[in-house]
């Protein structure tokens, strides 16, 4: 599909140009809507194409904490198909192709059906088509626990099919291969129809919503136009997710919606797939007609995985993605612990692996363990504990109480667990950095000043003392100004020393004379005894 040609519609939308493949199945031959689809896959090919194993290298375990937090989000994109995923791919492959068997645009019945629909719309007549036109359309249901991987699986399968294909020669039409809608929370059929027209407009650049999807239009008008648009653009399959939302519908809205889906399948000939939690069973088994029509490919009920080869394949494949500094080997104890704490729910198992790594990194332990798996299950998945306990009991009535519990969002969790920055500490650190920078700058100026003074033949001790004193008082002056101030400082200091010495000398002589007087000595005698006056005969030499 990657080598196929992309063309631009008049609306500016880019779509895939049809390329036709020879079909081996006689029912599919010479039907351009089927021939333009990707090849039918073997189980081996489906496994390879459905797998998504993000790039990873063990060296990433040495990244910084904040980088590893980013890398951890890669687990949210990890996807490993298992046996039930491959079964779903095979069923969907048959489902979408067989729905086109009776809608071959090269057969006159297809054109007759479109004309017949148009006429009935204009005359507000019943829309039912002849049995041979709608015979191949069917529906099937995928039900399972929340977080079991229903939506992820169908989205991976849908990614194998182009959503829009342009046919030019000899057929001139735009084929919508599939359309996936979420059932409105309020179970409103009008809201569903509006969403349908909006999604078609997004794909094709049309204005169906403007023409048919306004709230002022009646539900019956929207429903009939929706059927016409689906038939006109040869919609291969309509997927309705979260079908259990119909249980919240007021009055008879849920019954109206289900009757509409039955009409799409039985009367318009559009295959419909339902996806929902186990609560959806109540809706689909209300009467025999709906239950029968929703089982065209056989109902699929996905419960928690068993602790078998599939589980081992899933956990082993996931286990490579470790971002803790110390790698933890996968053993039976670890495998059993993850199964016990997730109860075989794939989404919870992946989240536990993610949570344990986050805890190991943020606490500095840097290694996950069974004890840590149990700890994060208890502390970070508190809202899921009632559901998990119900699953452990195996009692369906208990499990049914918790079908709508939604597992946590790992991006939101990660955001809330990133270490909070201490703003005050950051400010202090910034101040210290600025002070250090200033000190380094001043040190550089001090060194230059000392060297300049030494070059003027001022001794190192005086130069350093003067430079430090002047810089402390006048750090903003230029080197020349600092040199002048330093020289002034040195000269003043020398002068002060002389004055102090003189002052100190006079005071010392007076003190000696005063002490001598107390001992009844003359001033001459006191000064002589203290060495201030020489003996006049001392310098004479006697022969």
């Amino acid at each position: 599909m990657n080598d196929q040609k992309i063309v631009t519609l008049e609306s500016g939308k880019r779509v895939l140009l049809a390329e036709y493949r020879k079909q081996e199945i006689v029912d599919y031959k010479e039907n351009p809507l089927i021939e333009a689809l990707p090849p039918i896959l073997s189980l081996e090919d489906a496994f390879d194409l459905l797998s998504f194993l993000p790039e990873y290298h063990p060296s990433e375990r040495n990244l910084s904490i904040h980088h590893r937090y980013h890398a951890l989000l890669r687990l949210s994109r990890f996807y490993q198909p298992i046996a039930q995923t491959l079964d779903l791919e095979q069923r969907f492959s048959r489902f979408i192709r067989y729905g086109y068997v009776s809608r071959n645009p090269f057969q006159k019945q297809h054109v007759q059906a479109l004309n017949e629909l148009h006429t009935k719309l204009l005359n507000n007549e019943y829309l039912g088509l002849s049995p041979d036109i709608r015979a191949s359309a069917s529906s099937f249901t995928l039900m399972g626990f929340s977080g079991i991987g229903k939506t992820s699986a169908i989205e991976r399968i849908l990614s194998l099919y182009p959503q829009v294909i342009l046919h030019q020669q000899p057929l001139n039409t735009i084929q919508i291969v599939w359309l996936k809608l979420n059932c409105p929370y309020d179970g409103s059929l009008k809201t569903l129809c509006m969403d349908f027209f909006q999604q078609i407009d997004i794909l094709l650049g049309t204005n169906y919503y403007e023409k048919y999807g306004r709230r002022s239009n009646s539900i019956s008008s929207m429903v009939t136009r929706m059927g016409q648009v689906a038939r006109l653009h040869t919609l291969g399959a309509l997927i309705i997710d979260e079908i259990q939302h119909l249980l919240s519908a007021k009055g008879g809205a849920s019954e109206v919606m289900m009757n509409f889906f039955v009409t799409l399948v039985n009367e318009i000939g559009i295959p419909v797939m339902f996806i929902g939690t186990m609560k959806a069973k109540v809706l689909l088994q209300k009467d025999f007609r709906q239950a029968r029509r929703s089982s065209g490919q056989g109902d699929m009920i996905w419960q928690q995985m068993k602790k078998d080869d599939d589980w081992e394949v899933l956990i082993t494949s996931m286990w490579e993605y470790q971002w803790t500094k110390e790698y933890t080997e996968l053993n039976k104890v670890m495998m059993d612990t993850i199964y016990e704490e997730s109860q075989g729910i794939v989404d919870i198992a992946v989240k536990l692996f993610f949570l344990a790594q986050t805890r190991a990194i943020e606490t500095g332990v840097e290694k996950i363990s069974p004890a840590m798996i149990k700890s994060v299950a208890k502390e970070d998945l508190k809202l899921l504990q009632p559901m998990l306990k119900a699953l452990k009991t195996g009692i369906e009535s208990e499990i049914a109480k918790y079908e709508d519990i939604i597992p946590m969002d790992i991006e939101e969790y990660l955001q809330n667990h990133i270490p909070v920055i201490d703003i005050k500490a950051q400010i202090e650190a910034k101040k210290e950095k600025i002070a250090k920078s200033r000190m380094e700058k001043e040190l550089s100026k001090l060194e230059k000043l000392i060297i300049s003074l030494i070059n003027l033949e001022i001794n190192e001790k005086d130069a350093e003392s003067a430079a430090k004193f002047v810089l402390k008082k006048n750090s903003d002056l230029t080197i020349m100004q600092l040199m002048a101030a330093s020289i002034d400082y040195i000269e003043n200091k020398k002068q002060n020393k002389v004055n102090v010495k003189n002052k100190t000398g006079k005071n010392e002589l007076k003190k000696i004379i005063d002490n001598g007087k107390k001992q009844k000595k003359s001033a001459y005698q006191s000064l002589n005894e203290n060495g201030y006056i020489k003996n006049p005969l001392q310098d004479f030499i006697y022969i």
Side-chain angles (χ1 to χ4, degrees):
M1 196 173 82
N2 293 334
D3 297 331
Q4 288 187 288
K5 186 178 179 182
I6 303 294
V7 295
T8 304
L9 303 177
E10 291 182 6
S11 62
K13 300 294 182 179
R14 292 168 60 80
V15 298
L16 194 69
L17 182 63
E19 288 187 8
Y20 305 105
R21 297 175 178 83
K22 184 178 179 180
Q23 301 296 305
E24 302 295 330
I25 307 299
V26 65
D27 300 306
Y28 301 162
K29 289 183 177 182
E30 298 182 0
N31 185 329
L33 301 179
I34 298 177
E35 291 177 340
L37 296 178
I40 296 173
L41 300 176
S42 65
L43 288 174
E44 292 77 13
D45 289 339
F47 182 87
D48 290 339
L49 291 173
L50 290 172
S51 298
F52 185 79
L53 306 179
E55 187 176 350
Y56 170 82
H57 195 278
S59 61
E60 293 181 358
R61 298 204 298 271
N62 297 320
L63 294 173
S64 63
I65 290 178
H66 55 280
H67 280 102
R68 284 186 286 158
Y69 277 155
H70 279 259
L72 273 166
L73 291 175
R74 222 174 291 162
L75 277 172
S76 64
R77 296 186 289 124
F78 165 83
Y79 190 82
Q80 178 65 69
I82 53 178
Q84 61 188 18
T85 318
L86 300 177
D87 184 15
L88 177 61
E89 189 281 326
Q90 295 285 307
R91 294 195 194 201
F92 187 83
S93 178
R94 296 190 296 267
F95 170 72
I96 196 167
R97 286 172 171 80
Y98 205 70
Y100 277 130
V101 167
S102 295
R103 289 188 289 160
N104 189 337
F106 286 160
Q107 295 177 350
K108 64 179 182 179
Q109 292 98 322
H110 177 73
V111 178
Q112 288 175 346
L114 288 177
N115 292 334
E116 187 179 337
L117 271 174
H118 182 68
T119 301
K120 289 181 176 180
L121 282 168
L122 292 177
N123 299 326
N124 292 320
E125 297 177 1
Y126 175 64
L127 296 179
L129 299 175
S130 57
D132 58 330
I133 295 295
R134 64 181 190 244
S136 66
S138 65
S139 62
F140 81 101
T141 302
L142 173 61
M143 291 182 290
F145 300 131
S146 296
I148 202 67
K150 305 179 299 297
T151 299
S152 297
I154 194 62
E155 287 180 350
R156 290 294 301 166
I157 291 169
L158 291 177
S159 72
L160 303 180
Y161 293 82
Q163 193 167 8
V164 180
I165 300 175
L166 174 64
H167 298 263
Q168 291 182 327
Q169 294 294 335
L171 181 66
N172 186 17
T173 190
I174 297 177
Q175 174 187 4
I176 299 177
V177 179
W178 56 267
L179 187 68
K180 180 175 175 292
L181 303 176
N182 283 336
C183 184
Y185 280 96
D186 58 0
S188 167
L189 182 53
K190 176 175 279 192
T191 303
L192 182 75
C193 291
M194 292 168 65
D195 191 22
F196 174 87
F197 293 128
Q198 284 181 324
Q199 293 302 316
I200 297 294
D201 287 347
I202 290 171
L203 290 174
L204 307 182
T206 48
N207 63 340
Y208 290 129
Y209 180 78
E210 183 68 23
K211 292 197 295 185
Y212 310 134
R214 291 185 173 183
R215 289 193 175 275
S216 57
N217 294 339
S218 66
I219 293 180
S220 59
S221 171
M222 284 187 181
V223 167
T224 52
R225 291 297 182 182
M226 183 174 169
Q228 183 189 33
V229 170
R231 188 82 187 186
L232 176 65
H233 292 296
T234 59
L235 177 60
L238 178 64
I239 299 98
I240 307 296
D241 201 355
E242 308 292 357
I243 193 68
Q244 73 278 359
H245 288 165
L246 286 182
L247 292 173
S248 302
K250 297 178 181 179
S254 63
E255 186 174 351
V256 171
M257 181 84 81
M258 290 307 300
N259 286 335
F260 164 67
F261 291 140
V262 171
T263 300
L264 277 181
V265 177
N266 289 358
E267 313 303 340
I268 308 299
I270 306 298
V272 179
M273 177 181 179
F274 303 107
I275 304 175
T277 64
M278 300 298 284
K279 288 183 178 180
K281 186 185 296 186
V282 178
L283 293 166
L284 299 172
Q285 292 182 341
K286 276 188 175 180
D287 58 67
F288 176 76
R289 179 179 65 153
Q290 291 175 359
R292 178 178 59 83
R293 295 306 299 173
S294 66
S295 303
Q297 292 293 327
D299 289 335
M300 295 189 73
I301 298 178
W302 285 9
Q303 297 180 341
Q304 68 262 50
M305 291 181 66
K306 295 179 180 179
K307 195 161 50 173
D308 54 14
D309 290 344
D310 268 355
W311 178 257
E312 185 174 346
V313 167
L314 174 70
I315 301 302
T316 302
S317 180
M318 176 185 72
W319 204 252
E320 174 187 351
Y321 297 93
Q322 291 188 42
W323 284 275
T324 51
K325 288 189 178 297
E326 190 172 346
Y327 182 82
T328 302
E329 295 292 341
L330 180 62
N331 52 35
K332 187 177 184 303
V333 175
M334 185 69 77
M335 188 91 71
D336 291 345
T337 302
I338 293 179
Y339 186 85
E340 179 68 16
E341 297 301 329
S342 69
Q343 281 299 295
I345 304 296
V346 176
D347 184 76
I348 297 177
V350 175
K351 296 297 194 315
L352 283 173
F353 188 49
F354 163 84
L355 291 169
Q357 291 195 57
T358 305
R359 178 74 62 84
I361 292 172
E362 70 183 9
T363 58
V365 175
E366 294 291 356
K367 184 177 182 179
I368 57 178
S369 63
M372 190 171 287
I373 296 288
K374 293 179 180 179
S375 176
V376 295
K378 181 179 180 181
E379 296 171 18
D380 296 322
L381 297 180
K382 290 179 181 178
L383 293 178
L384 294 178
Q385 288 308 311
M387 176 187 178
L388 294 172
K389 288 179 181 178
L391 288 172
K392 290 176 184 179
T393 67
I395 302 173
E396 289 191 13
S397 59
E398 289 298 313
I399 295 171
K401 296 177 182 178
Y402 307 104
E403 279 304 311
D404 293 326
I405 291 181
I406 301 174
M408 57 169 289
D409 185 304
I410 64 174
E411 288 200 35
E412 181 180 350
Y413 174 89
L414 190 59
Q415 183 63 35
N416 292 336
H417 280 69
I418 290 177
V420 178
I421 296 175
D422 187 336
I423 299 297
K424 185 176 180 181
Q426 290 293 306
I427 292 173
E428 291 300 321
K430 185 70 174 177
K431 286 181 178 179
E432 289 179 8
K433 186 176 181 180
I434 292 172
K436 183 179 179 182
S437 176
R438 184 187 298 119
M439 186 180 296
E440 290 174 352
K441 184 177 179 181
E442 290 176 353
L443 182 61
S444 176
K445 187 177 284 189
L446 175 65
E447 291 172 348
K448 290 180 181 179
L449 182 56
I450 292 173
I451 292 172
S452 298
L453 292 172
I454 291 174
N455 288 336
L456 294 178
E457 297 185 355
I458 297 174
N459 68 66
E460 293 182 9
K461 186 176 180 181
D462 289 344
E464 182 178 352
S465 174
K468 288 182 177 179
F469 177 83
V470 171
L471 265 177
K472 187 175 181 181
K473 296 288 185 179
N474 308 286
S475 60
D476 295 332
L477 297 179
T478 65
I479 290 292
M480 294 303 294
Q481 291 171 326
L482 289 170
M483 285 178 65
S486 298
I487 292 171
D488 288 342
Y489 170 81
I490 292 171
E491 290 180 351
N492 290 334
K493 190 174 182 182
K494 285 182 178 179
Q495 185 62 42
N496 289 336
K497 280 185 178 180
V498 172
N499 293 335
V500 168
K501 184 176 181 180
N502 292 337
K503 185 178 180 180
T504 301
K506 291 177 181 178
N507 291 338
E508 185 67 23
L509 294 175
K510 186 176 183 303
K511 185 178 179 181
I512 292 172
I513 293 170
D514 289 342
N515 287 334
K517 286 180 179 181
K518 292 178 181 179
Q519 298 175 14
K520 296 181 180 182
K521 294 180 182 180
S522 65
Y524 176 86
Q525 186 181 359
S526 297
L527 290 172
N528 181 265
E529 289 176 356
N530 284 276
Y532 283 92
I533 297 176
K534 289 184 178 181
N535 185 335
L537 300 178
Q538 183 177 339
D539 291 332
F540 285 92
I541 300 175
Y542 293 92
I543 299 175

